[in-house]
Amino acid sequence: MAISFEGQVALITGAGGGLGRAYALELARRGAKVVVNDLGGDPHGRGADAAPARKVCEEIEALGGEAIPNFDSVASYEGGYNMVKAAIDKWGRLDIVICNAGILRDVAFHNMSEDDWDAVFAVHVKGTFTVLRAAWPVFRQQSYGRVVLTSSASGIWGNFGQANYGAAKTAMLGLMNVLKQEGAKYNVMVNTIAPVAGTRLTATVMPPELVERLKPDYVVPAVVYLVSKECTDSGLIIEAGAGRFNRAAIVQGPGINAGLEEVKTAEWVQEHWKEITSLEGAILRWSTQMTLDQWLQQRAAQQAKQ
Ligand SMILES: NC(=O)c1ccc[n+]([C@@H]2O[C@H](COP(=O)([O-])OP(=O)(O)OC[C@H]3O[C@@H](n4cnc5c(N)ncnc54)[C@H](O)[C@@H]3O)[C@@H](O)[C@H]2O)c1
């Protein structure tokens, strides 16, 4: 059955171009009403322009859809509130938030300024907090919400020259892992996309033919599914783009449970390094409570043996 967003309202940050625009158009095509947020600055987060968000709203209207622009910066708490309020004032609900706005300030770590660090964290980390913090009470009240956060291969695997960006993008995984738990009982699913696409951000590192070939459209199906009511998974990292779709995950190796009877030495760790660092038989952890539960179970089993 076709996935439909009829009767639903979506807020997409940074939707004036690139990936955000592609998400906005496809959700609108499938019936969603859309708040198109975009500050309209340059790829490094300087300046502002209302034109990109306006233009995407016009494109949506030309398709027969409904959209309103918002020009606030996600980095401002008031801005996050305003964009959520725009959805509620206009349509009385908010079902979907895609935190997509982003900038780059790439520079090798030894040359990274405080401003390069702060600017990237303001948009990616605080900018995700401001919007979700405003949307969260709405989701709880509706007992419904679908959230996609935007990470990056840089945050999951690392990329030279992107210490600020990589750290900010890894923060999305920490935020997701907490919000998937806090949202679970309100039917709020929180997942993360790590996209690859030719956009003005990647135009700085990709050859022009690749920018042209790797259209944001190749990422869109994954994000559209993740924000649909059909998707009831939460806490997943999905890498998508350039024709690929896969899951990435943080796993826990079996390690060694050395018990509490005796505090081990660094030499003991050195001696057992292979087993400690082995990922053979690694498992996924859904929540920190599971980690604690397993530890308590192991302790109970040990005590029963004694
Ligand atoms: N393109 C890729 O291959 C790729 C890879 C990994 C992650 N990403 C992430 O995907 C997201 C979208 O990037 P893109 O490649 O489409 O680049 P893009 O530059 O085309 O889109 C980002 C948009 O965010 C807007 N924006 C920036 N700061 C803002 C702010 N403070 N408030 C509101 N809007 C703001 C920009 O004006 C821009 O339109 C970003 O979070 C980026 O880090 C992209």
Side-chain angles (χ1 to χ4, degrees):
M1 214 164 82
I3 292 175
S4 165
F5 295 90
E6 283 304 332
Q8 294 200 330
V9 178
L11 161 60
I12 305 162
T13 71
L19 287 155
R21 169 181 168 272
Y23 305 150
L25 289 173
E26 184 60 12
L27 288 180
R29 257 184 222 116
R30 289 171 179 266
K33 297 171 174 68
V34 185
V35 179
V36 176
N37 157 264
D38 207 292
L39 177 65
D42 74 10
H44 309 294
R46 297 185 180 99
D49 183 0
R54 279 220 178 92
K55 188 163 176 290
V56 173
C57 288
E58 284 164 15
E59 288 181 86
I60 289 174
E61 278 154 19
L63 293 169
E66 278 187 67
I68 50 171
N70 170 280
F71 316 111
D72 282 299
S73 171
V74 292
S76 130
Y77 193 73
E78 204 187 346
Y81 178 81
N82 286 344
M83 36 192 111
V84 170
K85 187 169 182 297
I88 305 299
D89 287 351
K90 177 82 176 165
W91 295 301
R93 60 182 298 117
L94 179 63
D95 303 280
I96 295 161
V97 174
I98 304 175
C99 295
N100 164 79
I103 61 165
L104 285 178
R105 293 275 185 100
D106 292 1
V107 58
F109 192 54
H110 62 279
N111 287 323
M112 188 166 287
S113 69
E114 186 180 3
D115 188 50
D116 292 331
W117 183 271
D118 288 346
V120 165
F121 266 66
V123 176
H124 294 275
V125 185
K126 186 171 176 195
T128 299
F129 162 70
T130 63
V131 179
L132 289 182
R133 180 62 188 84
W136 209 251
V138 179
F139 290 158
R140 280 168 53 111
Q141 203 188 1
Q142 289 173 174
S143 282
Y144 188 84
R146 292 290 182 271
V147 175
V148 165
L149 310 179
T150 305
S151 185
S152 161
S154 179
I156 307 171
W157 317 116
N159 195 20
F160 190 97
Q162 294 194 320
N164 49 359
Y165 181 77
K169 287 307 199 186
T170 309
M172 296 303 105
L173 310 184
L175 181 62
M176 172 184 76
N177 285 334
V178 173
L179 294 187
K180 75 183 179 190
Q181 298 183 30
E182 295 195 14
K185 88 174 198 224
Y186 298 99
N187 191 16
V188 182
M189 306 300 153
V190 184
N191 292 290
T192 300
I193 190 83
V196 177
T199 66
R200 67 177 196 167
L201 280 191
T202 40
T204 52
V205 287
M206 279 182 192
E209 31 335 332
L210 212 54
V211 173
E212 183 49 34
R213 186 81 184 86
L214 304 185
K215 299 214 177 308
D217 301 1
Y218 294 109
V219 179
V220 170
V223 171
V224 167
Y225 175 66
L226 286 171
V227 297
S228 70
K229 55 187 179 314
E230 283 77 2
C231 178
T232 52
D233 278 320
S234 200
L236 303 185
I237 306 164
I238 302 296
E239 294 187 285
R244 262 187 79 89
F245 299 90
N246 65 272
R247 179 178 175 185
I250 298 169
V251 296
Q252 187 179 56
I256 307 173
N257 186 350
L260 298 177
E261 287 70 35
E262 174 198 1
V263 174
K264 302 295 182 195
T265 60
E267 289 75 14
W268 181 90
V269 170
Q270 183 187 24
E271 205 180 311
H272 294 86
W273 195 237
K274 210 169 158 210
E275 297 111 288
I276 291 171
T277 56
S278 169
L279 286 178
E280 214 181 308
I283 55 162
L284 277 159
R285 292 241 164 257
W286 194 82
S287 76
T288 37
Q289 188 60 42
M290 281 174 64
T291 312
L292 188 63
D293 287 348
Q294 195 196 40
W295 185 80
L296 291 169
Q297 276 165 16
Q298 278 175 354
R299 195 181 62 167
Q302 270 170 3
Q303 281 170 349
K305 266 194 222 152
Q306 283 161 9

